[in-house]
Amino acid sequence: MRQLIDECAPLIFRAVSDIGITEEQILSLLGPATDTRLADVAMPCHSLAAIFQKPPVDVSEEISGLISTFLEGIALTSSMNGFVNLKADPAWLSARAMKLLPDERLGVSKEKPRKVVVDYSAPNVAKEMHVGHLRSTVIGDSIVRMLEFKGHDVIRENHIGDWGTPFGMLIEHLIDIGEDDFALDKGISDFDQFYKEARSKFDNDEFFANRSRSRVVLLQSEDDDTLRLWRVLVNVSTSYFNEVYDMLGVLLDDRDLMGESAYRHLLPQVVERLEKSGLLEESDGASVVFLGGKWVNRKGEPFPVMIRKGDGGFNYSTSDLACIIDRVERLSCDDLLYVVGTPQKQHFEMVFEVASRAGLMQNWHNAKHVNFGSVLDSNGQMLKSRTGQSVKLVDLLKEAIYRADESISEKNPGLTENDRERVSKMIGIGAVKYADLSTDRSKDYTFDWDKMLSFEGNTAPYLQYSHARICRIFSLSPLSRADVKNANIIIQTEEEENLARCIVNFSEAVDNASSTFHPHKLCTHIHSTSSAFASFYEACPILKSDDHTILKSRLALCDLTARTISTGLGLLGIQSPEEM
RNA sequence: GGGCGUGUAGCAUAGCCUGGAUAAUGCACUGGCCUCCUAAGCCAGGGACCGCGGGUUCGAAUCCUGCCGCGCCCGCCA
């Protein structure tokens, strides 16, 4: 309840300045109440007790008595157990809620724009997309949407794995099976098989392995025919990625592609600049940077960042440094976000450290590894398919849609074929995304079909259902959504009060989620809102209320709730069906 | 061996950054509520030495420290 604190703090200070409490003390003590039944905002007075030489209970009572008239119309004041408790006055809540009625943004402010590069998704060419890419794609998409909503200039970058030594064997395998067949067959089928066949030939066939190695050299020297074959692999892969992105409903498209190949001409420059800054050292024939400090290997010896391998090739640290140069110098970005799994934490720490020391980015650049945990099955193991392979993303999405379709067919047989198909896609995909986004991204997450597709609990279908219910109410209502924009919101019941409180707090939830890149904070808030709505819906007749002003007021709350849910879900990349 | 992370009811999680009251939510469980706007819902209830031990503090799930369990990383893969 940031808004309530902001409004109350100066008034409290005015009320208590006589007894010698400073504004700093008030601001540091005021905070969200832990017990939300008692208060929205609380001020513990235990630390003041020592100063006044009185028990905390007496201090809180005294302060409560002094401030209550100053906060009239804003918050209701009480005291208990040494706490001053402030509960938002229903009149204040309704005034705040009414302000949001004509506001498309539901009170969410825009910030001073920063230019933010978000690096996410990053599938590999000629490889299947799996659940790891799902997390990066879904989390990245949501972060992009939140940052754009907050007014930032966001540049999406899909750093696909489209360069490097594996492409020797992939191109040779492509030649073997014939490129025409490949392009025709591979549309949305099995890349894993293609990759595995290539790998197997590389490992078992010395002649093939030698061809592959020569092919890498040709690729790196940009031989025309080799590049042409390489493009076949890239094009078929990216059109496949696009099909998956389309199915997922994320913002990524071809314009966002910035694969590793895009940085290959910058790699020698990285070496040059590190050399010039004196960071580069030779070690066992390779060029490396030793950072010292906590970065030591098993034997306690310094552990380096590999810049140029002994064979003259570059690897991923070099490529990431080239990316930083490009993003800082060509794009002039302020922030660099990397939506990549937690296992690569150390890698990014080291790369950022090298980039800073080499002056590739400045203090005011904010480079952040937006890490995420692994996807586990119900046994706490990394999620695998029945055959022990990593799960193909398309299969997973298809199953989600299929399962959603089954549920809807059973629960609402009245839907037309067309609507059912459209809605099952929204629900199935929404369920997968929400399950991923609703827990702290930095922790591992447990994948569970039944839970994510359940229409109960903290799931997308539950939230979508709340939204659909409200749309249904308006379809039966004498007043339209537009008609209630000027409504006088009257809060009479506890359920109306709780709902209004959720609606008013939406902007704060968006700010918390976007500033920390933690979408689950937004999920938690939308779920509370939905839950408050369900209670309101049971307790407060809407269309059946006999008083027209109450009807209008409650419909206004419905409108705000629906927009809170759909805007919130929208920021998570999830659609809100109007019926389901 | 070093580094990083993690441990909260039967299960899945939030709260930890920035210390406050009887630790929150969902599933599951128990008991209620459909001639009434979608019961895909609501209401009520039981269930937790917040991994273990120390420390700091008026006050610790939260901060510090030591253990224990689990996971990831530690030179030419990305």
Side-chain angles (χ1 to χ4, degrees):
Chain A
M1 289 242 87
R2 191 71 247 164
Q3 297 171 64
L4 193 63
I5 293 176
D6 289 347
E7 220 163 301
C8 291
L11 297 171
I12 294 174
F13 174 59
R14 211 190 302 162
V16 300
S17 55
D18 288 350
I19 60 171
I21 303 177
T22 66
E23 198 159 9
E24 289 71 36
Q25 281 173 313
I26 293 166
L27 285 172
S28 72
L29 290 174
L30 277 177
T34 47
D35 190 335
T36 51
R37 286 164 306 192
L38 293 172
D40 293 308
V41 172
M43 187 163 98
C45 300
H46 310 79
S47 59
L48 298 173
I51 302 169
F52 290 110
Q53 313 235 327
K54 279 187 210 170
V57 173
D58 293 356
V59 177
S60 65
E61 271 171 20
E62 187 181 340
I63 293 174
S64 172
L66 285 170
I67 66 177
S68 65
T69 55
F70 282 77
L71 300 182
E72 218 161 293
I74 301 171
L76 307 170
T77 313
S78 61
S79 75
M80 189 193 272
N81 303 341
F83 291 82
V84 174
N85 286 322
L86 307 177
K87 199 163 181 66
D89 191 313
W92 181 84
L93 282 174
S94 82
R96 284 279 168 167
M98 277 187 272
K99 270 193 184 172
L100 302 179
L101 277 170
D103 182 0
E104 289 279 311
R105 301 179 55 82
L106 290 164
V108 178
S109 63
K110 290 197 178 187
E111 285 171 346
K112 184 163 171 271
R114 295 176 66 84
K115 194 176 239 189
V116 188
V117 173
V118 185
D119 182 322
Y120 66 113
S121 194
N124 293 310
V125 162
K127 261 186 157 175
E128 203 58 62
M129 289 182 79
H130 52 76
V131 288
H133 300 114
L134 174 71
R135 289 215 85 181
S136 177
T137 307
V138 167
I139 294 166
D141 187 59
S142 173
I143 288 171
V144 166
R145 288 172 195 264
M146 291 194 295
L147 292 175
E148 283 182 344
F149 195 60
K150 286 300 290 176
H152 297 293
D153 180 7
V154 179
I155 299 169
R156 302 186 289 268
E157 293 215 335
N158 191 358
H159 194 73
I160 60 171
D162 66 353
W163 201 251
T165 47
F167 282 87
M169 72 181 191
L170 293 170
I171 290 171
E172 286 304 317
H173 185 49
L174 176 63
I175 292 169
D176 286 357
I177 65 170
E179 53 186 290
D180 293 339
D181 285 349
F182 175 79
L184 284 176
D185 293 347
K186 290 299 163 187
I188 202 163
S189 72
D190 205 337
F191 278 111
D192 274 345
Q193 199 193 335
F194 178 83
Y195 194 91
K196 250 190 281 174
E197 283 166 5
R199 181 87 238 169
S200 154
K201 284 201 291 191
F202 186 85
D203 289 339
N204 300 315
D205 180 344
E206 191 55 34
F207 179 62
F208 181 84
N210 284 332
R211 273 166 59 198
S212 300
R213 281 188 272 270
S214 318
R215 187 58 73 177
V216 175
V217 177
L218 281 171
L219 181 66
Q220 272 160 355
S221 60
E222 316 231 345
D223 165 66
D224 282 346
D225 199 44
T226 303
L227 278 180
R228 193 186 59 75
L229 290 161
W230 170 75
R231 278 191 205 102
V232 170
L233 288 174
V234 173
N235 290 339
V236 172
S237 300
T238 53
S239 74
Y240 172 68
F241 301 155
N242 287 339
E243 286 183 56
V244 176
Y245 294 147
D246 186 51
M247 202 170 178
L248 261 178
V250 294
L251 298 168
L252 285 171
D253 63 34
D254 281 343
R255 287 166 296 181
D256 306 317
L257 288 171
M258 271 307 270
E260 288 168 52
S261 65
Y263 302 95
R264 62 186 193 268
H265 304 300
L266 268 174
L267 299 178
Q269 200 192 120
V270 172
V271 177
E272 233 170 80
R273 290 172 70 161
L274 292 182
E275 211 151 38
K276 217 171 271 175
S277 63
L279 288 169
L280 212 59
E281 295 178 39
E282 294 300 311
S283 174
D284 299 333
S287 307
V288 301
V289 175
F290 288 109
L291 289 168
K294 69 180 183 183
W295 286 297
V296 292
N297 68 13
R298 231 171 281 270
K299 295 171 197 156
E301 296 159 348
F303 157 66
V305 178
M306 183 67 52
I307 301 298
R308 186 169 49 198
K309 301 187 281 188
D311 66 5
F314 304 103
N315 72 353
Y316 62 115
S317 294
T318 327
S319 178
D320 280 335
L321 289 165
C323 277
I324 291 174
I325 292 175
D326 186 64
R327 290 167 190 183
V328 165
E329 296 177 13
R330 182 176 64 88
L331 298 171
S332 314
C333 70
D334 301 302
D335 301 334
L336 304 89
L337 304 184
Y338 295 81
V339 187
V340 179
T342 302
Q344 292 189 49
K345 192 176 177 189
Q346 179 180 268
H347 163 70
F348 280 108
E349 276 177 21
M350 295 179 88
V351 166
F352 295 159
E353 181 69 27
V354 172
S356 295
R357 287 198 202 173
L360 304 183
M361 54 181 187
Q362 309 306 318
N363 291 337
W364 51 269
H365 286 109
N366 173 33
K368 184 168 171 63
H369 176 204
V370 180
N371 61 317
F372 57 83
S374 308
V375 183
L376 307 178
D377 62 23
S378 53
N379 298 319
Q381 301 298 309
M382 298 279 277
L383 190 70
K384 293 274 158 67
S385 70
R386 280 170 295 279
T387 53
Q389 306 291 316
S390 58
V391 179
K392 275 173 71 169
L393 190 44
V394 265
D395 290 346
L396 187 142
L397 298 180
K398 280 180 189 162
E399 181 160 357
I401 295 169
Y402 172 77
R403 284 172 180 252
D405 190 78
E406 293 276 284
S407 296
I408 306 169
S409 306
E410 183 194 318
K411 286 170 175 149
N412 191 355
L415 278 181
T416 65
E417 179 83 19
N418 251 354
D419 285 341
R420 205 188 67 218
E421 199 175 309
R422 200 171 46 84
V423 169
S424 359
K425 199 178 164 190
M426 289 192 207
I427 293 176
I429 298 296
V432 169
K433 287 186 175 181
Y434 192 85
D436 200 321
L437 293 170
S438 60
T439 64
D440 185 344
R441 59 169 163 75
S442 61
K443 299 187 181 177
D444 290 349
Y445 119 84
T446 312
F447 193 93
D448 184 331
W449 280 120
D450 294 329
K451 241 170 229 177
M452 75 176 73
L453 280 156
S454 165
F455 290 78
E456 303 167 13
N458 189 11
T459 65
Y462 174 83
L463 304 178
Q464 291 170 320
Y465 174 59
S466 305
H467 181 263
R469 264 179 146 179
I470 296 171
C471 293
R472 174 69 177 161
I473 293 168
F474 274 103
S475 76
L476 300 169
S477 160
L479 297 176
S480 71
R481 294 258 211 144
D483 293 336
V484 299
K485 295 294 177 200
N486 64 352
N488 186 27
I489 292 178
I490 304 152
I491 296 176
Q492 293 175 323
T493 66
E494 197 186 335
E495 287 81 8
E496 290 168 301
E497 187 184 329
N498 288 336
L499 182 56
R501 178 179 285 105
C502 285
I503 291 164
V504 167
N505 283 339
F506 177 69
S507 62
E508 186 178 347
V510 172
D511 289 353
N512 284 339
S514 71
S515 64
T516 58
F517 315 115
H518 272 130
H520 78 279
K521 296 185 181 196
L522 181 55
C523 295
T524 304
H525 185 263
I526 317 171
H527 179 252
S528 303
T529 307
S530 265
S531 184
F533 174 76
S535 300
F536 160 81
Y537 179 87
E538 293 289 330
C540 305
I542 302 163
L543 298 175
K544 272 172 290 181
S545 51
D546 30 27
D547 182 336
H548 185 77
T549 55
I550 298 293
L551 168 75
K552 196 167 175 180
S553 165
R554 289 185 176 165
L555 282 171
L557 284 173
C558 286
D559 171 67
L560 287 169
T561 305
R563 290 196 289 126
T564 298
I565 294 172
S566 64
T567 307
L569 286 178
L571 292 174
L572 302 169
I574 298 170
Q575 292 178 288
S576 305
E578 301 200 345
E579 59 175 342
M580 59 191 273

